[in-house]
Amino acid sequence: MSVTTITHPLVQHKLTLMRQKDRSTNSFRRLLHEIGMLMAYEVTREMPVQMIEIETPLEKMRAPVIDGKKTVFVVVMRAGDGFLDGMLEVVPGARVGHIGLYRDPKTLVAVEYYFKMPQDMHERDAIVLDPMLATGNSAVAAVDRLKETRPRSIRFVSLLAAPEGLAKFQAHHPDVPVYTAAIDRQLNDHGYIVPGLGDAGDRIFGTK
Ligand code: URA
């Protein structure tokens, strides 16, 4: 499996601001939006292009274009929603699927409550968006379920990852490349990433 840490200074700078506990909901959300755009640049690097005939003011030429409709962003609700806007700004033609999972607070196991994908997944490249790769339980469950639809390819994007979650994901889905902005020290007893940034969903939506 490949893990790509996106070390671009713009991403790292914005992530540092997001980690600060006194950052407002508005600012946290805006930063995640911006990081989404920047990470989309890296994640779509291998996106297939096709050559089309165009005319510049001077002459005809063949030039590359991407087919955005072949991309499906798969949002793991609800924190994944925060990533989506920025990604869509860069790939506006993309389709969007949703997977709803909640963590059982006692067992930390992922339980599915929603699943909706576009049709013809076998023709699409799926990019799963889940900002926190913590225990890995929901990431593994989301990709297990997504694989049932047989997308052409799958990539997984998180903002922050814990070593434990990465190891678990790697064990279950060695074929799925992971992109993240940072790999933090560890999980705490409640399954939170430390030092981390707290509960991503609560910080995006201002629910705490
Ligand atoms: N989910 C979060 O939002 N934060 C964590 O640290 C772990 C899981």
Side-chain angles (χ1 to χ4, degrees):
M1 149 167 144
S2 78
V3 179
T4 304
T5 305
I6 299 176
T7 55
H8 194 290
L10 280 172
V11 171
Q12 294 301 317
H13 173 84
K14 289 175 195 297
L15 174 58
T16 299
L17 299 184
M18 291 180 76
R19 289 181 188 272
Q20 293 171 323
K21 66 177 183 182
D22 292 331
R23 187 141 303 276
S24 70
T25 300
N26 179 7
S27 172
F28 187 91
R29 194 185 290 148
R30 196 158 31 81
L31 287 160
L32 184 57
H33 176 96
E34 290 166 3
I35 290 187
M37 287 172 62
L38 295 165
M39 290 184 78
Y41 181 80
E42 215 32 70
V43 172
T44 55
R45 189 178 278 283
E46 310 291 329
M47 199 178 247
V49 292
Q50 65 187 70
M51 302 302 281
I52 61 164
E53 186 97 13
I54 59 164
E55 239 179 301
T56 77
L58 300 177
E59 61 179 40
K60 286 188 178 169
M61 71 174 288
R62 286 174 64 72
V65 286
I66 59 165
D67 184 354
K69 291 201 275 300
K70 297 278 188 228
T71 300
V72 52
F73 290 120
V74 177
V75 174
V76 180
M77 288 148 68
R78 73 185 158 138
D81 275 310
F83 246 159
L84 179 64
D85 301 355
M87 300 263 173
L88 278 179
E89 215 157 304
V90 181
V91 192
R95 303 300 192 245
V96 179
H98 283 87
I99 301 181
L101 300 165
Y102 68 85
R103 286 208 293 181
D104 184 295
K106 287 213 180 74
T107 62
L108 304 183
V109 168
V111 183
E112 180 183 313
Y113 64 88
Y114 190 78
F115 187 85
K116 185 94 179 169
M117 292 299 135
Q119 299 201 317
D120 303 324
M121 286 294 284
H122 59 281
E123 293 177 1
R124 301 185 196 278
D125 299 304
I127 300 178
V128 183
L129 307 178
D130 189 356
M132 308 301 273
L133 179 47
T135 60
N137 290 340
S138 63
V140 167
V143 173
D144 277 346
R145 188 69 176 83
L146 180 62
K147 280 184 173 174
E148 290 174 20
T149 68
R150 302 198 167 279
R152 186 164 67 179
S153 69
I154 305 178
R155 292 177 170 75
F156 190 95
V157 189
S158 74
L159 177 63
L160 275 187
E164 298 91 326
L166 269 178
K168 178 161 209 165
F169 191 80
Q170 184 159 34
H172 282 80
H173 296 297
D175 53 319
V176 177
V178 175
Y179 297 80
T180 187
I183 302 170
D184 273 10
R185 192 176 69 246
Q186 66 188 93
L187 293 178
N188 70 11
D189 293 343
H190 304 287
Y192 279 87
I193 299 174
V194 282
L197 50 71
D199 188 299
D202 280 340
R203 296 200 63 192
I204 293 165
F205 297 110
T207 43
K208 210 170 199 174

